[in-house]
Amino acid sequence: MKTRINFENIEPLHFNIKRLKTSISHSFLLMILSLLSLACQKSIEDINDSSVEKKNITNVQKTINASPEKMLYFATLDEYENFFNNPEFANLKIETTDYSPLRNTIEEINKLMDSEDPNMDTNPIMEDAIYDNYGLLLDILNQKKLVRLGNYIVRVDLANNTVYTIPSDTPDAVNTILNKSGNEFITQYDNNTELVPILFNLLGCNDRWAIHKKEKLDNESVRCSNKKRTKKELTYQAAGIYFSIVGEAKGQKKPFLIWVADNYQYPDISYFSYTLKKRCGSSESWGGDPDSWTGSLAWSSDGNKATFRPYQSTHALKEYNVYANIVGCGGTHTLHIEDY
């Protein structure tokens, strides 16, 4: 609605009544158009600000009012697998469920990291940093690490490499699974166990479960100086209801006593290769530069972090063999994990 004026086409004014009236009319018209233009711009800005503010208020409110009883619910296996395979379905499920995802906690931890607060390690939410970079699991679980799958409530406890389940119709089920690990209604599993077939009463598979493994470099070999380094990791993530292979390079600096994010290192993953076999399922192999991967959701890179996640599923692996060339401070390092 902005009005553009071509001043070269305005003729000189003569002091006669006719021209004076015309000038006044033009000036009045320009003033009205300018006011309307400003009003339109302000309205658009108000709408945009209002939308952003409303979204922020909603996110904050969901976190403030977070209740452990509020969680995602997947009634069938198809619905749960669709969450992994269909981003539109996943986004709709998240947006229409009244719960506070674990991702909110991880974002708060990242804000603390960016704040360079030397006392942040005393903050109780820092214990959840272990869930960082767990992909879709951060949306599947609420802030108490709970989700309902079929007729069970599931709690994922990465710190203890354990996953707990309890029938959802158990009296006071949520409080029980959070506070009474020895209760008769609770079943405890190793995090490497593929739980989805058990929870949805599917036919069993006799294949072994591959073991969660990680190779991490955060020592002297990956430092640019005493104050900068690139943390490099290659991991098979196993969380009972979620399994993933992921490589990550993360720039860090140490202005105080702890390492925090450094956004100007531009780390990279220059090469990645893997062979894997799903339990009672198919085998896959791939190798190359992550930039050539078909499907952008697996690969992301910015000034602080590079992440490549070629495998993310409800299905555990029987075996895997993975290599990654990770670039950053200290040059390029080749990381390797395997389990057969």
Side-chain angles (χ1 to χ4, degrees), residues 264-333:
Y264 301 100
Q265 290 189 31
Y266 297 96
D268 191 21
I269 301 175
S270 60
Y271 182 80
F272 200 102
S273 69
Y274 69 83
T275 59
L276 59 84
K277 182 174 176 55
K278 299 177 184 178
R279 294 183 67 247
C280 296
S282 60
S283 299
E284 296 179 17
S285 295
W286 185 86
D289 187 330
D291 284 334
S292 66
W293 178 267
T294 302
S296 59
L297 291 179
W299 168 243
S300 63
S301 178
D302 58 27
N304 167 240
K305 183 168 64 173
T307 303
F308 186 49
R309 191 187 306 274
Y311 184 78
Q312 181 172 225
S313 176
T314 65
H315 300 286
L317 297 180
K318 175 184 178 181
E319 57 190 44
Y320 59 85
N321 188 17
V322 188
Y323 290 87
N325 291 344
I326 301 182
V327 185
C329 288
T332 300
H333 289 84

Side-chain angles (χ1 to χ4, degrees), residues 59-206:
N59 290 339
V60 170
Q61 201 67 31
K62 288 179 74 173
T63 300
I64 292 174
N65 296 331
S67 167
E69 284 82 10
K70 297 178 178 179
M71 67 188 79
L72 288 185
Y73 170 44
F74 299 92
T76 66
L77 174 59
D78 287 343
E79 187 179 2
Y80 188 50
E81 291 191 334
N82 199 24
F83 191 88
F84 284 76
N85 302 322
N86 186 340
E88 291 184 4
F89 172 80
N91 289 335
L92 182 62
K93 186 81 171 177
I94 293 167
E95 292 171 0
T96 57
T97 302
D98 181 18
Y99 82 120
S100 183
L102 181 56
R103 188 175 300 278
N104 289 359
T105 300
I106 300 302
E107 288 177 352
E108 287 301 313
I109 291 174
N110 289 333
K111 288 178 183 177
L112 285 174
M113 296 286 285
D114 290 337
S115 71
E116 301 182 0
D117 180 357
N119 297 318
M120 71 181 182
D121 56 343
T122 63
N123 193 308
I125 70 171
M126 289 302 296
E127 65 184 16
D128 290 338
I130 190 174
Y131 292 87
D132 185 31
N133 200 32
Y134 262 74
L136 281 177
L137 187 66
L138 301 182
D139 298 307
I140 293 169
L141 302 178
N142 68 12
Q143 289 186 300
K144 292 297 185 180
K145 297 84 178 175
L146 301 177
V147 63
R148 181 176 171 188
L149 298 179
N151 297 320
Y152 294 88
I153 293 173
V154 181
R155 177 165 73 94
V156 177
D157 183 1
L158 291 184
N160 294 301
N161 298 317
T162 303
V163 181
Y164 303 92
T165 67
I166 189 171
S168 56
D169 60 358
T170 303
D172 199 20
V174 170
N175 182 60
T176 300
I177 198 171
L178 287 176
N179 301 299
K180 302 175 182 178
S181 58
N183 186 277
E184 61 179 320
F185 295 106
I186 296 174
T187 304
Q188 180 176 326
Y189 299 90
D190 180 88
N191 63 317
N192 297 299
T193 306
E194 183 180 353
L195 284 180
V196 169
I198 298 172
L199 299 177
F200 289 103
N201 299 313
L202 301 179
L203 293 176
C205 169
N206 294 323

Side-chain angles (χ1 to χ4, degrees), residues 253-269:
K253 57 185 176 181
K254 192 175 184 181
F256 301 105
L257 300 177
I258 52 177
W259 292 96
V260 298
D262 182 14
N263 295 315
Y264 301 100
Q265 290 189 31
Y266 297 96
D268 191 21
I269 301 175

